[in-house]
Amino acid sequence: MAATGAPRVATIGVYGFDASSFLGALREAGVTLVLDVRQRRGVRGREYSWANSLRLQALLAQAEVGYQHLPQLAPTTQLRALQYAADDRAGVGKRSRVALAPEYTEGYTREILDVADLDAVAALLPAEGLAALLCVERDPQACHRSIVAAALAREYGARVVDIVPR
């Protein structure tokens, strides 16, 4: 954890970035470790092929940014289906969602976050630099990574920085 004050954690999504702007945003924020909280580490769409697992890991390695997959923090297929149904009712797509459905947030908290070992996640936060929770959604409020970040803030005093495309 951060030697000077509270630990710091960032959130970042894939949508809205290309490989170059993604790396630039990480560099500008001081990210030294990416914590991938996706269940399926692939992204549909040719413009996001750089964010598929092996390509992303190679890109980060070239930029000297660490990478770790945390599948225990990924939502289940059933939870994602719950959110997609709420998106359909609201008439929004995954790429245009701006908030999570309350039933999704409750389910994610109960099924994933409440049983996750957050001590182990907090221990990953670097003393120097910043760890970034990675998923795909552009807006952190539209993604489970915001729930994880809020828990780290609440339970460990982490300061949260949301990295979004310009």
Side-chain angles (χ1 to χ4, degrees):
M1 293 204 204
T4 55
R8 295 174 51 227
V9 66
T11 75
I12 191 167
V14 170
Y15 294 152
F17 287 109
D18 59 22
S20 178
S21 63
F22 180 82
L23 286 179
L26 292 179
R27 194 174 306 109
E28 185 177 316
V31 172
T32 58
L33 175 64
V34 168
L35 301 173
D36 192 338
V37 295
R38 299 177 291 173
Q39 180 188 44
R40 289 187 260 140
R41 295 180 291 162
V43 183
R44 291 181 190 218
R46 183 180 168 133
E47 71 271 29
Y48 296 113
S49 63
W50 61 268
N52 293 329
S53 179
L54 295 178
R55 289 181 182 150
L56 176 63
Q57 289 178 63
L59 189 71
L60 292 171
Q62 285 180 331
E64 298 181 352
V65 174
Y67 173 90
Q68 188 160 347
H69 183 218
L70 300 179
Q72 68 273 26
L73 293 177
T76 63
T77 300
Q78 295 79 11
L79 283 169
R80 284 197 330 275
L82 188 67
Q83 181 62 53
Y84 297 156
D87 291 345
D88 287 345
R89 286 190 305 275
V92 298
K94 179 178 179 179
R95 293 186 189 195
S96 58
R97 178 189 317 133
V98 295
L100 293 170
E103 59 270 25
Y104 173 88
T105 300
E106 292 165 12
Y108 180 83
T109 300
R110 182 181 61 254
E111 296 175 30
I112 306 296
L113 199 56
D114 286 351
V115 298
D117 182 358
L118 280 186
D119 287 340
V121 177
L124 294 172
L125 303 181
E128 298 295 325
L130 185 62
L133 299 167
L134 167 76
C135 198
V136 296
E137 288 81 6
R138 180 190 188 285
D139 297 313
Q141 315 86 302
C143 179
H144 73 286
R145 71 182 186 268
S146 66
I147 302 171
V148 177
L152 290 169
R154 184 175 56 253
E155 296 183 30
Y156 301 92
R159 292 178 294 140
V160 178
V161 176
D162 293 316
I163 304 170
V164 294
R166 292 191 172 135

